[in-house]
Amino acid sequence: GRREEALGLMRHALDIALEHDLTEVIARGYFNLSFLMGGRDRWADASAADRAGLDFMLRRGNRQWAESFRSHLRGNGFFLGDWDAIDVPLDELEARDWDELPWSLRLDYVGLMVPVAVARGRLDDARRIMSRVPDEERAEMQERASITIGRYALALGEGRQQEALDGGLEAASVRGSVGPDHPMFKQGLVLCV
């Protein structure tokens, strides 16, 4: 719970990693710094850390980390209201099986793009995305939470308010696992409201 101290330690660890050119530690440092900033609703600062991490990983040719930073940037854009920044083409989703997509992209399709599509009145896009999601429960908690957010955002868009409220409460229940600073918990609260 000592968040300011955590931010200071994370920045210092990142400085040391940069000084010694420790690629994986640098990636994790930028990523976690962004996450800590986002948890404090400092989305512009989170985006600055993500852009620095993305630039670093692109220079190193690490596509997996680059996609993770792009995902963070899409999430930051969601919370900042810059929804055009998270518009990932649906062709990518339809060209591959769900489990072939990068994990972060799966989260963004259902946890970000579906709520945005619903808010913009593009229910057909939201339905297209949700039709690609496997029916079986996913093992990873964040993927389950993002699918829940997408499913119940669509329910809200289709006028099924009680179902949306129940889903929002379900999505918000991740608080016990990830804490109150996590974006999925925040999205669950928004869905409830």
Side-chain angles (χ1 to χ4, degrees):
R2 299 181 343 247
R3 290 171 178 83
E4 288 301 313
E5 183 179 349
L7 281 170
L9 290 170
M10 185 62 64
R11 283 190 188 106
H12 185 62
L14 179 57
D15 288 343
I16 292 171
L18 286 164
E19 181 180 329
H20 296 283
D21 198 32
L22 303 171
T23 300
E24 280 298 311
V25 179
I26 291 167
R28 181 65 55 198
Y30 278 126
F31 198 76
N32 288 345
L33 181 61
S34 167
F35 184 81
L36 289 171
M37 293 290 193
R40 303 294 303 261
D41 295 323
R42 293 169 56 181
W43 300 108
D45 292 335
S47 293
D50 285 322
R51 279 191 295 278
L54 175 61
D55 290 345
F56 182 83
M57 286 299 125
L58 289 174
R59 286 193 308 274
R60 295 293 165 104
N62 189 317
R63 290 187 295 191
Q64 182 178 349
W65 268 112
E67 180 52 41
S68 294
F69 284 111
R70 285 186 188 104
S71 176
H72 257 198
L73 286 164
R74 288 188 290 266
N76 300 344
F78 178 84
F79 284 101
L80 286 169
D82 183 12
W83 290 356
D84 292 332
I86 62 169
D87 202 13
V88 181
L90 294 181
D91 298 347
E92 176 78 12
L93 174 65
E94 293 171 344
R96 300 157 92 180
D97 287 335
W98 181 259
D99 289 321
E100 293 174 352
L101 292 167
W103 175 78
S104 57
L105 194 53
R106 293 193 308 257
L107 299 186
D108 293 348
Y109 271 119
V110 290
L112 301 176
M113 290 184 63
V114 169
V116 168
V118 168
R120 288 180 165 171
R122 296 181 350 215
L123 295 181
D124 286 343
D125 286 348
R127 290 181 189 111
R128 275 175 69 192
I129 294 168
M130 293 309 300
S131 73
R132 305 291 296 170
V133 176
D135 289 330
E136 75 272 359
E137 183 171 278
R138 309 307 288 177
E140 205 279 321
M141 182 277 311
Q142 290 181 90
E143 187 173 7
R144 282 196 316 268
S146 66
I147 290 170
T148 299
I149 289 165
R151 184 174 291 132
Y152 295 110
L154 181 56
L156 183 63
E158 293 176 338
R160 295 177 278 131
Q161 285 84 4
Q162 186 59 52
E163 188 177 340
L165 175 60
D166 293 343
L169 292 170
E170 182 182 335
S173 73
V174 300
R175 181 185 188 274
S177 302
V178 297
D181 293 345
H182 199 282
M184 302 230 180
F185 170 68
K186 293 176 182 183
Q187 282 182 268
L189 287 180
V190 168
L191 190 53
C192 290
V193 172

